Amino acid sequence: MSGKKTEKRTGKSMADNALGKSFNELRCLYDIANITGTAHLTLGERFSEIVRILPRGFQHSENTSVRITLNRDEYKTDNYQPTEQKISADIVIQGEKLGSVEIGCTKTPPVTGNGLFSKEERLLLDAVAERLGAITEHRQAEEALKESEEKFSKAFNASPNLVAINRLDDGKFLEVNDSFTRITGYTRKEAIGQNATDLNIWVDQDTHIKLVKTIKENKKVRNKEIRIRNKTGVIIVGLYSSESLIIGGEECCLHTITDITEQKQSQEILQTVSHGSPLGIYIMQDDRLQYTNPQFQKITGYSKKELAGRELLSLIAVEDSDVVRSSTVFTIQEKNPYPCEYRILTKTGRIKWVMQTVTPIHYEGRDAILGNLMDITERKYLERKITEYEELSKMKSNLLATVSHELRTPLATIKGYSTMILDYYTRLSSDEIKDYLASIDNSTDRLAKLVDNLLDTSRMEAGLLKLERSATDINLLIKKVATEANVRANHHQIITESTVGLPRVNIDSKRIRQVLDNLVDNAVKYSPQGTKVLISAKKAGREVLISINDQGAGIPAGELTSIFDRMYRIEQRLSPGRDGIGLGLYICRGLVEAHGGRIWAESTVGKGSTIQFALPLAGAGKGQ
Ligand code: ADP
């Protein structure tokens, strides 16, 4: 009996024991679950608590030590010591072992048939390790979410642009950022739960309605210029973009507005200044015009559209393009403005003078040139007129000096010889009287020629020169000229060379004779005595070419053209005996050109000169 009783008792106490153990395990798991559910605890705090609770789930709790390792962290009971009498389970997060839970025995317990730890205790350990893995994973996910929320919130609020989220159906704001408050003046509290109409934010209601429609249809709007009103009624110009998105199953909208009020104002100021400027203004990139103001368009005659993208150089007179280029390069290199003056070819083909200054600038994110130019055509015209006037007055005083000198010399001769003849008539031999009279005659001719030249010049310049044309035999004309010149210049030999069958030319023979006389007289005047002067005429193409060749000192190459200018004389030829005022060749050119011909000089210095002129044959030139 007693044996049975003992058996019964032992059986009961074993059952009690097992019940107690299960209760402890349950209790332990319950406590762990409680800790897991406590939101305010950090992961470390939770682990420390679990370490404290865990021994309770084991049979010999007082002899049980616990150590949890997770990554580099360690949580352990005070009685923990490294021991061989232990069981452990891994903490696995997303398939990776990140730590372990270790249960140790600090004292060797009485040996039971189950070994150091019972099967249930091992299962408890596995359950706890698994739970710890889950807590850690959950916690890490929570932390990652929190971090990303924080980041988002920071970015949301740090944005210099106004950002707001609202519901699409009623437009009520769900969230607004700090810039919303700064720009609109409404606090977050005032804005949330209200819509844009409640806050009277939109200046143009129609635009607002259109934009909402676009968002509903296209799910987004990009960079539309809009105007909003802040709490105090100030109008703000902004660039508006929005995007539709789903939040918590509801269709919402994320709006951003970049405040461009200042930018817009400075643009407007620039626009007003540039539009009202009397200067032509342009912006150029890669040598091409990107912007031109109305004055630039007015100067060039081209429209804004025609100028856009056009090369500036295509508007500049070819001769001036280097000046413009180098002034731009110097300005950029030396950081100092180098103004330059150049000619612009306008759309209508007119030439306009401008004075330009350039400045290197930044335009739409790239290097550019800002040029401003002033129309100085009028100034240039006046400058030219002044120069012409100055030249004219210089010429007038020269003319006066030369003419008075040229008048005085023959007048003095006439006066001197005529007085001599009158005073000493009876005492003079007839040869002497003849000589004196010849000198008087010569001087009178010289005076008459001078007066003729002056009159011809005036007539020519006033356009009053009239030609009396008739068909003329040039051969005959040059022969007459040579015969008479031989009488005048008896120290030179004047010869002619003509082509047989030279056609008649329709000319004013008196005037062409005047040209020939002048050229032959010059040939004589500017070549040494005893030399020959050759007058020749030939047909060349549709012209008759007449040349007067001498064996004189010649004409320097640099002066071959200038000798035909008004009152031009070669310096070293101004020696006594070579009288003249530099009008002869000028008149010759005028007369030849009036016939539709050309005149020019060829010469080898030291050997002689040839002055040639070409007259058009009938029907070949103007004036026929
Ligand atoms: P000028 O009254 O001085 O002769 P022109 O107009 O006839 O004026 O000639 C202009 C200048 O050209 C002369 O002063 C002279 O220096 C030069 N010239 C003209 N013809 C000749 C020539 N045949 N040989 C050399 N020089 C000449």
Side-chain angles (χ1 to χ4, degrees):
M1 275 282 278
S2 67
K4 264 189 188 171
K5 263 186 187 169
T6 321
E7 232 174 61
K8 253 191 183 171
R9 221 179 288 128
T10 318
K12 187 175 177 279
S13 69
M14 272 173 71
D16 283 353
N17 215 358
L19 211 63
K21 260 171 70 185
S22 299
F23 175 75
N24 282 346
E25 260 179 54
L26 267 173
R27 185 64 214 236
C28 174
L29 279 173
Y30 174 76
D31 286 347
I32 290 175
N34 259 349
I35 289 164
T36 315
T38 315
H40 65 269
L41 294 180
T42 65
L43 203 60
E45 285 166 346
R46 286 174 194 199
F47 275 33
S48 307
E49 267 305 286
I50 290 167
V51 162
R52 200 177 54 75
I53 291 164
L54 205 49
R56 290 186 211 149
F58 289 82
Q59 202 181 351
H60 305 285
S61 54
E62 66 286 358
N63 297 334
T64 302
S65 69
V66 179
R67 184 173 78 142
I68 300 176
T69 54
L70 184 72
N71 294 325
R72 282 186 200 150
D73 299 328
E74 191 181 63
Y75 309 88
K76 54 192 181 188
T77 48
D78 296 340
N79 61 353
Y80 175 79
Q81 273 173 7
T83 170
E84 288 303 307
Q85 299 175 64
K86 63 175 181 186
I87 49 170
S88 75
D90 293 339
I91 301 175
V92 177
I93 297 164
Q94 287 178 343
E96 203 185 334
K97 182 193 162 189
L98 291 182
S100 65
V101 190
E102 189 187 312
I103 307 291
C105 266
T106 51
K107 273 189 197 156
T108 311
V111 179
T112 65
N114 295 332
L116 263 180
F117 294 96
S118 67
K119 191 179 157 205
E120 290 76 16
E121 283 174 334
R122 283 171 196 277
L123 285 174
L124 173 66
L125 175 64
D126 288 344
V128 169
E130 198 186 312
R131 188 83 200 118
L132 289 181
I135 298 173
T136 312
E137 195 175 333
H138 182 73
R139 192 68 198 165
Q140 278 177 350
E142 263 179 7
E143 267 162 18
L145 185 67
K146 200 172 149 211
E147 199 181 318
S148 111
E149 269 174 4
E150 267 169 18
K151 271 188 200 153
F152 172 77
S153 158
K154 265 191 195 148
F156 187 70
N157 281 317
S159 168
N161 299 331
L162 174 157
V163 187
I165 300 170
N166 69 353
R167 261 200 308 262
L168 205 55
D169 66 345
D170 59 6
K172 298 226 188 287
F173 289 116
L174 301 176
E175 196 51 85
V176 295
N177 73 344
D178 291 351
S179 291
F180 179 98
T181 303
R182 179 176 49 79
I183 295 170
T184 65
Y186 294 104
T187 62
R188 186 171 171 273
K189 226 170 146 190
E190 284 170 327
I192 287 176
Q194 303 288 317
N195 64 25
T197 314
D198 298 334
L199 300 179
N200 194 19
I201 281 184
W202 287 86
V203 174
D204 312 300
Q205 268 311 321
D206 285 353
T207 315
H208 180 204
I209 294 164
K210 267 188 211 146
L211 288 173
V212 173
K213 198 168 162 247
T214 316
I215 300 163
K216 284 186 175 158
E217 284 166 5
N218 302 341
K219 307 285 173 215
K220 65 177 175 195
V221 168
R222 289 281 176 272
N223 297 323
K224 285 267 169 294
E225 194 176 308
I226 50 112
R227 291 187 305 152
I228 55 169
R229 188 186 294 109
N230 78 2
K231 198 176 173 183
T232 57
V234 175
I235 309 290
I236 294 143
V237 186
L239 266 193
Y240 171 85
S241 294
S242 64
E243 187 95 36
S244 101
L245 40 98
I246 305 289
I247 300 175
E250 267 189 306
E251 206 175 348
C252 298
C253 197
L254 175 80
H255 311 265
T256 57
I257 297 176
T258 312
D259 185 353
I260 56 163
T261 316
E262 271 182 29
Q263 194 182 325
K264 205 72 198 156
Q265 276 168 355
S266 17
Q267 256 177 21
E268 267 163 26
I269 292 172
L270 264 179
Q271 185 100 335
T272 317
V273 171
S274 143
H275 271 235
S277 171
L279 297 176
I281 299 174
Y282 67 81
I283 295 176
M284 180 174 74
Q285 262 168 346
D286 305 325
D287 298 333
R288 290 183 185 276
L289 295 167
Q290 301 300 333
Y291 166 83
T292 54
N293 76 337
Q295 183 61 10
F296 186 91
Q297 293 148 23
K298 197 172 155 200
I299 294 174
T300 59
Y302 289 101
S303 70
K304 187 178 172 182
K305 218 167 152 195
E306 287 169 325
L307 289 168
R310 197 184 171 123
E311 271 192 70
L312 176 70
L313 278 181
S314 71
L315 302 172
I316 299 173
V318 191
E319 311 90 283
D320 296 343
S321 51
D322 283 347
V323 179
V324 180
R325 257 194 227 113
S326 41
S327 109
T328 309
V329 170
F330 282 145
T331 304
I332 296 170
Q333 273 175 1
E334 319 224 333
K335 296 191 174 70
N336 231 338
Y338 273 81
C340 70
E341 294 182 357
Y342 63 89
R343 278 158 290 182
I344 271 189
L345 293 166
T346 69
K347 191 178 175 183
T348 54
R350 264 190 70 193
I351 286 191
K352 281 194 184 167
W353 274 97
V354 292
M355 189 175 81
Q356 169 179 287
T357 322
V358 295
T359 321
I361 58 159
H362 241 72
Y363 179 70
E364 293 183 346
R366 291 206 303 123
D367 286 343
I369 296 285
L370 172 76
N372 55 66
L373 34 101
M374 195 195 286
D375 187 346
I376 54 161
T377 316
E378 195 77 359
R379 197 194 84 193
K380 279 277 172 190
Y381 174 77
L382 290 177
E383 269 175 17
R384 209 178 53 227
K385 282 277 156 215
I386 290 171
T387 321
E388 273 174 17
Y389 176 76
E390 279 169 1
E391 269 171 16
L392 203 72
S393 358
K394 213 164 102 194
M395 234 159 64
K396 269 189 185 158
S397 39
N398 275 351
L399 183 76
L400 217 64
T402 325
V403 169
S404 45
H405 169 262
E406 285 298 307
L407 278 174
R408 211 167 278 140
T409 320
L411 273 178
T413 312
I414 295 169
K415 174 71 185 159
Y417 285 121
S418 41
T419 308
M420 283 258 276
I421 295 169
L422 284 173
D423 288 356
Y424 304 105
Y425 184 72
T426 48
R427 278 191 260 161
L428 293 171
S429 68
S430 58
D431 277 350
E432 279 172 326
I433 292 174
K434 207 176 159 195
D435 267 1
Y436 295 165
L437 283 175
S439 288
I440 291 170
D441 189 46
N442 235 335
S443 298
T444 318
D445 282 350
R446 204 172 139 188
L447 276 180
K449 194 177 164 195
L450 180 71
V451 172
D452 280 351
N453 276 347
L454 288 172
L455 278 175
D456 280 345
T457 304
S458 312
R459 269 190 215 119
M460 248 169 55
E461 288 174 355
L464 296 173
L465 201 76
K466 289 231 159 42
L467 299 182
E468 287 169 22
R469 291 172 185 268
S470 60
T472 310
D473 181 343
I474 287 286
N475 277 332
L476 209 64
L477 191 67
I478 60 175
K479 280 211 169 78
K480 269 191 204 162
V481 168
T483 313
E484 284 181 27
N486 270 321
V487 177
R488 280 200 309 275
N490 42 17
H491 299 298
H492 285 77
Q493 198 188 341
I494 293 124
I495 46 176
T496 59
E497 193 180 75
S498 53
T499 324
V500 189
L502 201 63
R504 284 170 170 259
V505 193
N506 191 25
I507 52 168
D508 184 330
S509 55
K510 251 174 77 187
R511 288 304 190 180
I512 294 301
R513 165 89 199 249
Q514 185 184 343
V515 173
L516 284 165
D517 282 342
N518 217 321
L519 297 179
V520 173
D521 285 349
N522 271 354
V524 170
K525 192 158 71 172
Y526 298 110
S527 59
Q529 291 189 355
T531 56
K532 285 181 187 160
V533 171
L534 173 67
I535 315 171
S536 57
K538 63 176 180 186
K539 186 172 170 267
R542 299 176 60 75
E543 291 174 321
V544 169
L545 196 66
I546 303 156
S547 323
I548 292 85
N549 167 265
D550 64 53
Q551 298 166 333
I555 302 158
E559 288 175 285
L560 285 171
T561 344
S562 344
I563 53 169
F564 295 96
D565 291 345
R566 199 178 197 264
M567 298 193 73
Y568 189 90
R569 306 196 74 204
I570 300 173
E571 268 325 302
Q572 68 266 34
R573 307 280 149 85
L574 305 178
S575 52
R578 282 166 177 177
D579 54 301
I581 53 170
L583 285 179
L585 289 182
Y586 176 68
I587 294 169
C588 287
R589 189 180 71 186
L591 291 175
V592 169
E593 285 176 357
H595 280 85
R598 319 168 272 127
I599 187 164
W600 68 98
E602 288 166 8
S603 174
T604 309
V605 174
K607 289 207 166 155
S609 319
T610 307
I611 312 288
Q612 304 195 66
F613 65 96
L615 296 171
L617 285 168
K622 69 167 190 179
Q624 292 295 308

